């Protein structure tokens, strides 16, 4: 492989040497021709001398062509042709002088002002002419400027290369929007649909024929443009109906969790959690149409009723849901609520052509977008992502299916997260194979991340200003990105006039074309905005207004979950009421049980007291009986003594009564009597 590389290098070096030799031979032949022509004009020499100069020039041309075995010999060939032409002019001048020779491109013509010398010699001019001489259809950008405009050196861009993306850059007021309009008009005429965001409102003039003026016609004649007024078929759109245009909306589910995560700046954990929410909503039949639907689902899945539905899927952290909800609220406050909803726009509407075969120019009216860059970038990225998902792989086409202009592209990348930039870079890289071209329009290339710039094939650079050290640094960085050229680009880029640009495009073989200082063509549409009443009438007459004009608020996740939450709240209230009733019943039962226990304890205490009294009674009864037996025994002993001495009936009676009284008068006797009385009247048992 190394030998092949060395051989290729050797062949390239030989070709370069041959080209240089051809160039030197041609220059020498040109010098001889000029000398001979001068001598012939001064001395009136014969025609033969001029013919000899022409023959020598032809020999030099043939020698140069034979020695230049590669494409690098093109410069020498061009010089040889130029020398031959100038020799012919010398021949004619040396002739009788009866006829005036036809002017050769790039040479002074009598009666016209002589153009001042430009930064390029004729060799470099011919290289540029050859570099933009494409065989296939191409868009006309303008004419080469070398001192003055060179009508004979048109600068073009192959139509097939528009899906390799591009950049239009330049300071404010240098003509970027008009360049965009020129490209859009020619794309439409070639049958290619165009989408562009009309940030400042002045691009709407593409729908109105332009007006001729002496200044305009003088400019167009100077670059070889056959100008005539013509309007392009145009459709106006507006985000969420805010502004003049067919409302453009997208559903949250159609937007997708991945892109929404990138826009919100979520980390990997939060992104996976949001993906889980989208999955649950789809499985549960909960349509996510707007941001309110998504917030409702997030709230539901962290509620006591909803969290059980994710138990088998891993569940959601309340902290993660809290972060997502806060980001969604901020996102909505920036105007995103207007974009999400139904009916969702079908991106195929941007791929339409008119009845005459011209591509329709879709203009998105976004007034005030500088205050809402997030909404602007969100919609554009969704549109590209949706196109990428819907369109089939087509490879390289003869012309793109759609060219997408990102006007004010710095708004797209303003405050964008790394994840969002990665998403943009990937989309730009891959969508080319779907037949979609992207052109970024911004003030300076540094507004576009390097990863995105690396994907761009063509560049139209208007004037750059270097008033500050940062500007000077940006200028040097811009110059370093251009192919090698004969220009002092640092000087040229700061001296370009309005409507001029430094151009380099991707040719039909995929290689960069030579750098060309170009005076750009004028748009055929109006350079002023289309009047508001005309735009309003065009929108009202649009065939799309019937399908997308009125918003639809159908049953979605928010309403479905609201009913679920209401049913859950009603069920909760019923459960609460039932629990309260049950608590009351339980309290009553508890109180009854307590009373029963108290009664039982009272009965038990009474029974114990009764038993104790009964035992006391029995004890005292026994004591009484013992006392009675003792008394009886005492009576028996006293009776024997009495019989022995004497006694009367009355004395016995008195003696017996005295003993009973003694017994009953004792404390034991009184207790016995009291208990006997209680037992008789029932007071003992009641206690």
């Amino acid at each position: 492989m190394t030998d092949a590389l060395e051989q290729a290098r050797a062949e390239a070096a030989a070709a370069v040497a041959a080209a240089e030799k051809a160039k030197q031979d041609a220059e020498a032949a040109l010098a001889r021709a000029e000398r001979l022509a001068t001598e012939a004009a001064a001395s009136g020499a014969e025609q033969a001398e001029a013919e000899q100069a022409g023959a020598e020039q032809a020999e030099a041309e043939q020698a140069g062509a034979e020695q230049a075995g590669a494409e690098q010999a093109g410069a020498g060939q061009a010089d040889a042709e130029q020398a031959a032409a100038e020799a012919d002019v010398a021949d004619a001048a040396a002739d009788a002088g009866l006829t005036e020779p036809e002017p050769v491109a790039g040479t002074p013509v009598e009666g016209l002002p002589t153009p001042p010398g430009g930064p390029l010699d004729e060799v470099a001019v011919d290289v540029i002419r050859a570099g933009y001489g494409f065989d296939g259809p191409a868009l006309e950008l303008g004419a080469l400027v070398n001192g003055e405009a060179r009508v004979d050196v048109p600068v073009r861009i192959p139509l097939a290369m528009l899906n390799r993306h591009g950049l239009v850059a330049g300071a404010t007021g240098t003509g970027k929007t008009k360049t965009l309009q020129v490209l859009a008009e020619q794309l439409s005429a070639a049958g290619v649909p165009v989408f562009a965001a009309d940030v400042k409102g002045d691009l709407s003039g593409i729908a109105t024929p332009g007006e001729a003026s002496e200044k305009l016609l003088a400019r167009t004649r100077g670059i070889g443009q056959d100008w005539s007024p013509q309007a392009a078929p145009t459709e106006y759109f507006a985000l969420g109906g805010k502004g003049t245009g067919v409302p453009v909306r997208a559903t949250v589910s159609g937007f997708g969790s991945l892109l929404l995560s990138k826009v919100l700046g979520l980390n990997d954990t939060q992104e996976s959690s949001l993906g889980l929410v989208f999955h649950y909503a789809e499985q549960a039949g909960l349509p996510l149409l707007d941001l309110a639907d998504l917030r409702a689902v997030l709230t539901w899945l962290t509620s006591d009723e909803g969290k059980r539905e994710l138990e088998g899927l891993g569940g959601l952290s309340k902290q993660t849901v809290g972060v997502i909800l806060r980001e969604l609220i901020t996102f909505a406050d920036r105007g995103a609520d207007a974009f999400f909803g139904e009916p969702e726009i079908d991106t195929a509407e941007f791929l339409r052509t008119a009845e005459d075969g011209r591509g329709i120019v879709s203009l998105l009216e976004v007034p005030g977008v500088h205050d809402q860059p997030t909404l602007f970038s969100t919609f554009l990225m969704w549109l590209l992502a949706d196109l990428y998902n819907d369109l089939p792989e087509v490879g390289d086409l003869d012309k793109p299916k759609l060219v997408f202009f990102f006007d004010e592209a710095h708004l797209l990348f303003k405050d964008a997260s790394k994840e969002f930039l990665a998403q943009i870079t990937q989309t730009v890289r891959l969508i080319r194979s779907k037949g979609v071209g992207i052109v970024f329009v911004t003030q300076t290339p540094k507004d576009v991340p390097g990863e995105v710039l690396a994907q761009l094939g063509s560049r139209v650079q208007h004037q750059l200003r270097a008033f500050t050290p940062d500007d000077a640094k940006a200028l040097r960085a811009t110059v370093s990105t251009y192919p090698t050229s004969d220009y002092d680009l640092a000087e040229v880029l700061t001296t370009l006039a309005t409507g001029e640009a430094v151009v380099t495009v991707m040719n039909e073989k995929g290689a960069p074309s030579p750098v060309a200082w170009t005076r750009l063509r004028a748009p055929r549409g109006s350079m002023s905005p289309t009047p508001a009443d005309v735009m309003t009438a065009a929108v009202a007459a649009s065939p799309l207004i019937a399908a997308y004009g009125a918003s639809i608020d159908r049953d979605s996740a928010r309403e479905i979950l609201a009913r679920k939450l209401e049913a859950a709240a009603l069920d909760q209230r019923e459960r609460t009421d039932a629990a309260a009733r049950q608590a009351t019943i339980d309290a009553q039962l508890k109180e009854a049980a307590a009373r029963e226990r108290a009664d039982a304890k009272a009965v038990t205490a009474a029974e114990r007291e009764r038993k104790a009294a009964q035992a006391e009674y029995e004890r005292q009864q026994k004591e009484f009986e013992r006392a009675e037996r003792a008394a009886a025994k005492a009576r028996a002993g006293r009776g024997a003594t009495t019989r022995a001495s004497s006694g009367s009936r009355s004395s016995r009676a008195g003696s017996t009564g005295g003993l009973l009284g003694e017994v009953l008068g004792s404390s034991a006797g009184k207790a016995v009597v009291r208990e006997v009385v209680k037992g008789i009247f029932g007071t003992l048992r009641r206690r």
Side-chain angles (χ1 to χ4, degrees):
M1 182 174 181
T2 303
D3 294 338
L5 180 60
E6 292 298 332
Q7 182 179 357
R9 288 177 175 172
E11 291 175 353
V16 171
E20 187 64 25
K21 181 65 167 59
K23 178 181 177 181
Q24 293 173 356
D25 292 341
E27 290 175 348
L30 177 60
R32 289 195 298 274
E34 290 176 346
R35 187 184 71 253
L36 291 174
T38 302
E39 292 174 355
S43 61
E46 296 294 329
Q47 179 70 23
E49 292 180 352
E51 291 176 351
Q52 180 182 357
E56 291 179 357
Q57 178 62 32
E59 292 176 359
E61 176 184 350
Q62 181 177 2
E66 292 175 350
Q67 293 179 5
E71 292 183 359
Q72 291 85 346
Q77 177 70 20
D79 270 350
E81 292 175 354
Q82 181 69 18
E86 292 182 1
D88 292 339
V89 173
D91 291 343
D95 206 356
L98 300 177
T99 60
E100 182 178 356
E102 289 292 326
V104 178
T107 63
V109 179
E110 186 177 359
L112 294 178
T114 302
L120 304 179
D121 57 23
E122 285 302 316
V123 175
V125 170
D126 288 335
V127 169
I128 292 176
R129 181 188 292 110
Y132 290 91
F134 309 122
D135 296 329
L139 305 186
E140 300 291 340
L141 293 177
L144 177 71
V145 175
N146 193 35
E148 289 294 334
R150 294 287 298 265
V151 180
D152 60 319
V153 188
V155 178
R156 314 157 72 213
I157 178 172
L159 183 60
M161 292 296 107
L162 260 297
N163 70 338
R164 302 295 181 94
H165 313 322
L167 173 70
V168 177
T172 301
T174 56
K176 297 188 302 298
T177 302
K178 300 314 169 190
T179 299
L180 190 161
Q181 187 172 339
V182 167
L183 293 173
E185 287 175 349
Q186 294 188 60
L187 286 167
S188 174
V192 178
V194 172
F195 181 93
D198 191 6
V199 177
K200 298 185 291 292
D202 51 1
L203 191 57
S204 61
I206 196 173
T208 303
E211 296 183 1
S213 67
E214 286 300 325
K215 182 178 180 181
L216 174 65
L217 295 178
R219 174 187 172 86
T220 55
R221 284 194 299 267
I223 59 175
Q225 179 184 2
D226 185 14
W227 188 91
S228 62
Q230 185 179 40
T234 305
E235 192 80 65
Y236 300 101
F237 294 90
L239 284 180
K242 289 187 175 182
T244 303
V246 177
V248 174
R249 304 180 186 90
T251 63
V252 170
S253 57
F255 197 77
S257 63
L258 181 60
L259 185 55
L260 185 57
S261 297
K262 303 304 182 188
V263 171
L264 296 178
L266 304 181
N267 61 31
D268 292 342
T269 300
Q270 295 157 358
E271 180 180 323
S272 64
S273 296
L274 188 60
L276 176 62
V277 172
F278 273 67
H279 172 77
Y280 164 77
E282 182 179 1
Q283 297 299 317
L286 299 174
L288 298 177
L289 305 183
D290 53 27
L291 295 181
D293 290 328
L294 182 55
R295 290 195 295 267
V297 173
L298 287 166
T299 303
W300 165 258
L301 292 176
T302 54
S303 66
D304 294 336
E305 296 80 9
K307 66 174 60 177
R308 294 190 296 268
E309 301 192 23
L310 287 182
E311 289 178 352
L313 300 176
L316 286 174
S317 165
K318 283 190 175 182
Q319 291 79 6
T320 298
V321 171
V323 172
I324 297 174
L325 284 173
R326 288 192 295 273
E327 293 297 334
L328 284 174
I329 292 172
T330 303
F331 189 43
D333 290 343
R334 292 174 179 169
D337 266 339
F339 170 55
F340 291 101
E342 282 191 317
E344 182 177 82
I345 192 76
D346 184 358
T347 51
E349 305 290 1
F350 303 126
L351 302 175
R352 296 180 300 134
T353 56
E355 294 180 355
D356 59 3
R358 291 185 295 168
I360 291 179
V361 178
S362 299
L363 290 184
L364 178 69
E365 299 296 313
V366 280
V369 73
H370 294 81
D371 298 329
Q372 299 174 331
T374 302
L375 177 60
F376 175 63
S377 59
T378 296
F379 166 72
L380 295 181
M381 283 311 303
W382 168 78
L383 177 57
L384 286 179
D386 196 69
L387 287 169
Y388 179 78
N389 290 330
D390 292 348
L391 294 176
E393 292 281 346
V394 294
D396 293 327
L397 301 175
D398 293 336
K399 62 181 181 181
K401 288 186 175 182
L402 173 71
V403 174
F404 199 100
F405 288 92
F406 272 106
D407 195 9
E408 301 294 331
H410 64 280
L411 296 176
L412 177 67
F413 304 105
K414 182 179 180 181
D415 299 328
S417 64
K418 292 182 179 179
E419 293 78 10
F420 186 65
L421 292 178
Q423 183 76 13
I424 295 175
T425 303
Q426 182 180 11
T427 302
V428 170
R429 181 185 299 115
L430 298 178
I431 204 169
R432 181 191 66 80
S433 63
K434 302 300 183 86
V436 176
I438 301 174
V439 178
F440 294 96
V441 183
T442 187
Q443 294 184 4
T444 172
K446 70 178 183 180
D447 293 335
V448 181
E451 295 83 356
V452 177
L453 284 176
Q455 308 299 320
L456 309 184
S458 301
R459 184 188 306 186
V460 179
Q461 178 66 63
H462 289 262
Q463 181 192 133
L464 287 175
R465 295 166 185 152
F467 295 151
T468 68
D470 287 341
D471 292 341
K473 182 178 180 181
L475 175 62
R476 290 193 297 272
T478 301
V479 169
S480 67
T481 61
Y482 276 91
T484 302
S485 71
D486 292 333
Y487 291 111
D488 181 356
L489 285 176
E491 178 182 354
V492 171
L493 289 174
T494 56
T495 57
L496 291 170
T498 301
E500 294 182 350
V502 171
V503 175
T504 178
V505 304
M506 185 174 287
N507 64 24
E508 294 169 315
K509 296 180 180 180
S513 65
V515 178
W517 180 349
T518 306
R519 183 164 298 162
L520 299 167
R521 294 166 71 95
R524 301 175 67 183
S526 174
M527 296 190 189
S528 300
T530 296
D533 57 339
V534 176
M535 292 175 59
T536 301
V539 173
S542 170
L544 302 179
I545 202 69
Y548 302 106
S551 63
I552 300 174
D553 188 14
R554 66 182 176 94
D555 217 26
S556 58
R558 179 179 51 181
E559 291 79 13
I560 295 172
L561 291 178
R563 290 194 294 270
K564 279 190 175 184
L565 289 171
E566 184 177 355
L570 178 60
D571 183 60
Q572 181 64 34
R573 286 196 299 271
E574 291 178 351
R575 288 200 302 268
T576 301
D577 293 343
R581 290 193 297 271
Q582 185 63 41
T584 301
I585 294 173
D586 291 343
Q588 292 174 348
L589 292 175
K590 185 176 181 180
E591 183 179 356
R595 285 198 301 270
E596 288 180 0
R597 288 194 298 271
D599 290 344
K601 290 174 68 176
V603 170
T604 302
E607 181 65 21
R608 283 199 302 270
E609 187 176 351
R610 187 192 64 78
K611 289 182 178 180
Q614 182 67 28
E616 180 64 20
Y617 169 76
E618 292 176 353
R619 185 185 63 75
Q620 292 179 0
Q621 182 67 28
K622 289 180 181 179
E623 289 182 355
F624 175 75
E625 290 176 352
R626 285 197 299 272
E628 188 177 2
R629 286 195 297 273
K633 185 176 179 180
R635 283 197 305 271
R638 284 194 299 271
T641 305
T642 304
R643 282 192 304 268
S645 59
S646 63
S648 62
R649 180 181 301 269
S650 57
S651 62
R652 287 198 301 272
S655 184
T656 303
L659 178 61
L660 181 59
E662 182 182 352
V663 172
L664 293 176
S666 67
S667 61
K670 291 179 180 179
V672 171
V673 172
R674 185 171 61 252
E675 296 301 325
V676 170
V677 172
K678 290 180 180 179
I680 294 173
F681 291 100
T683 58
L684 178 60
R685 184 166 301 278
R686 284 199 300 272
R687 184 181 301 174

